Amino acid sequence: MNYKDILEKVFHDTKGLTNKGKIATYIPELANVNPTMFGVHMTNLTGEGYGMGNNLVKFSIQSIAKVFSLTLAYRILGEEIWKRVDVEPSGTKFDSLLLLEINNGIPRNPFINSGAIVICDILVSHLGNARKEFLAFVRDLSNLPNLSYSDKIADSEKANGYRNVALCNFIKSLGNIKNDPTEVLDFYFDMCSLEMNCEQLSYAFTYLANGGLKISDSSEVITKPQSKRINALMLTCGFYDESGEFAFKVGLPGKSGVGGGIVALYPHSYTIAVWSPPLNPNGNSFLGMKFLEEFTTHSDFTIF
Ligand code: DON
């Protein structure tokens, strides 16, 4: 079977499953999404793509944006970045405070909330206007000049993000946040509010399947070794306390978000984005996980 036939078969098989997931409601605005949405889009490194279902409907990419913020901070700071954030799986929930005290305010990795907040602090320190320059960076790498933040989602999270406020203040007390916590958190909430559809998301991640180069003009987003390391972090830390299970069942570097999106990639080959809002108990898309497991288990589109 070619990849289009496999995608279609797995899409229809997965659509037929009972969705046992639950929509995230801790950000009230996210609860307004239609739970039956289900879309998939695959992009190869020549830019050719194929998608189905609700692949052209925009959704809140949430934590998936943490890969873009890490990319920009890594590009600015180079290896110095690892003095501020570690590279180990946390084995805890994405918004956990648990390990920060014993690790002196150094988050376990850049994808859990604490790590992503430290990355936002780095960007606030190094950019004149982090909100504006981060958006310009993602617009450029995704070839989406009209990409924007969702003020509705960001405001909804700002009004209810008590755990993130706690995390940022706690890290500040331990010396690993250099700026005003309110400024850092405002940027963090904006960053998480970016909206894309599956087609756009799978295209935006192609630089990580292409050794750090944009597929459109081969310009460098990050170096090849940096791209290797971000892929390694996605494989080991992209799904929080379900990262081991994702590697075990799907076997690709990837990143999830509480909006129900997952993006995964096969280096030098393709990227794939899937979206279904109801989440499993670990905060990852229930159907998205099932889809990717079937897709890589019954095809040659797998690393292992
Ligand atoms: O900080 C939060 O809680 C959200 N803005 C992002 C969390 C998220 O997407 C976790 N991913 N599965």
Side-chain angles (χ1 to χ4, degrees):
M1 274 204 267
N2 70 29
Y3 77 96
K4 292 182 182 173
D5 293 337
I6 297 173
L7 272 179
E8 274 176 21
K9 181 180 177 337
V10 178
F11 182 79
H12 290 295
D13 288 353
T14 312
K15 207 174 157 73
L17 298 174
T18 305
N19 194 336
K20 295 191 188 140
K22 289 199 169 52
I23 289 198
T25 52
Y26 76 99
I27 302 173
E29 194 58 35
L30 282 184
N32 294 332
V33 72
N34 176 349
T36 65
M37 289 282 128
F38 185 31
V40 170
H41 203 98
M42 185 172 173
T43 302
N44 67 26
L45 299 191
T46 60
E48 187 195 335
Y50 188 67
M52 66 211 65
N54 306 113
N55 59 321
L56 301 180
V57 179
K58 278 201 285 187
F59 61 91
S60 183
I61 70 169
Q62 288 296 317
S63 284
I64 298 172
K66 293 171 182 173
V67 181
F68 301 138
S69 53
L70 172 64
T71 300
L72 183 54
Y74 199 8
R75 189 166 125 135
I76 295 170
L77 225 56
E79 300 310 311
E80 286 287 301
I81 198 171
W82 310 121
K83 291 185 179 156
R84 303 281 306 274
V85 60
D86 207 344
V87 295
E88 294 295 338
S90 69
T92 56
K93 272 186 71 64
F94 62 86
D95 56 1
S96 176
L97 286 114
L98 214 57
L99 298 169
L100 280 171
E101 182 140 40
I102 34 178
N103 292 324
N104 294 318
I106 305 293
R108 291 285 282 185
N109 66 67
F111 294 148
I112 47 175
N113 287 10
S114 53
I117 289 170
V118 168
I119 297 294
C120 285
D121 184 60
I122 291 171
L123 292 176
V124 168
S125 294
H126 286 83
L127 301 174
N129 183 334
R131 186 180 196 274
K132 205 169 142 201
E133 290 173 53
F134 173 70
L135 184 61
F137 172 71
V138 185
R139 280 180 173 171
D140 179 61
L141 70 81
S142 55
N143 275 349
L144 292 173
N146 297 322
L147 178 75
S148 58
Y149 299 116
S150 161
D151 291 339
K152 253 188 179 179
I153 298 274
D155 290 348
S156 179
E157 191 171 2
K158 276 175 203 173
N160 296 277
Y162 304 110
R163 283 191 81 89
N164 287 323
V165 172
L167 281 167
C168 192
N169 281 291
F170 193 39
I171 305 169
K172 176 91 183 168
S173 79
L174 294 163
N176 197 21
I177 291 286
K178 311 296 178 193
N179 298 284
D180 170 27
T182 309
E183 189 183 355
V184 175
L185 284 166
D186 275 352
F187 174 50
Y188 172 78
F189 294 134
D190 285 337
M191 188 255 311
C192 290
S193 79
L194 282 180
E195 292 185 314
M196 286 189 192
N197 65 36
C198 289
E199 180 185 41
Q200 296 166 340
L201 195 55
S202 67
Y203 184 86
F205 268 72
T206 48
Y207 72 100
L208 287 169
N210 194 36
L213 308 182
K214 279 169 68 177
I215 60 166
S216 54
D217 59 6
S218 296
S219 59
E220 188 179 270
V221 181
I222 37 168
T223 66
K224 204 170 166 190
Q226 288 176 326
S227 170
K228 175 191 131 184
R229 289 188 165 161
I230 294 181
N231 274 294
L233 283 168
M234 287 197 291
L235 184 71
T236 53
C237 311
F239 297 82
Y240 315 109
D241 39 348
E242 203 168 36
S243 296
E245 198 157 327
F246 189 82
F248 180 73
K249 289 182 170 166
V250 179
L252 296 175
K255 185 74 202 76
S256 63
V258 288
I262 298 180
V263 62
L265 63 98
Y266 186 161
H268 315 298
S269 181
Y270 69 88
T271 61
I272 187 161
V274 51
W275 172 51
S276 163
L279 309 177
N280 69 19
N282 293 317
N284 299 315
S285 171
F286 179 87
L287 281 192
M289 298 285 282
K290 298 272 182 215
F291 172 88
L292 288 168
E293 180 181 2
E294 283 304 296
F295 181 64
T296 54
T297 305
H298 300 294
S299 72
D300 291 331
F301 301 115
T302 173
I303 301 177
F304 301 115

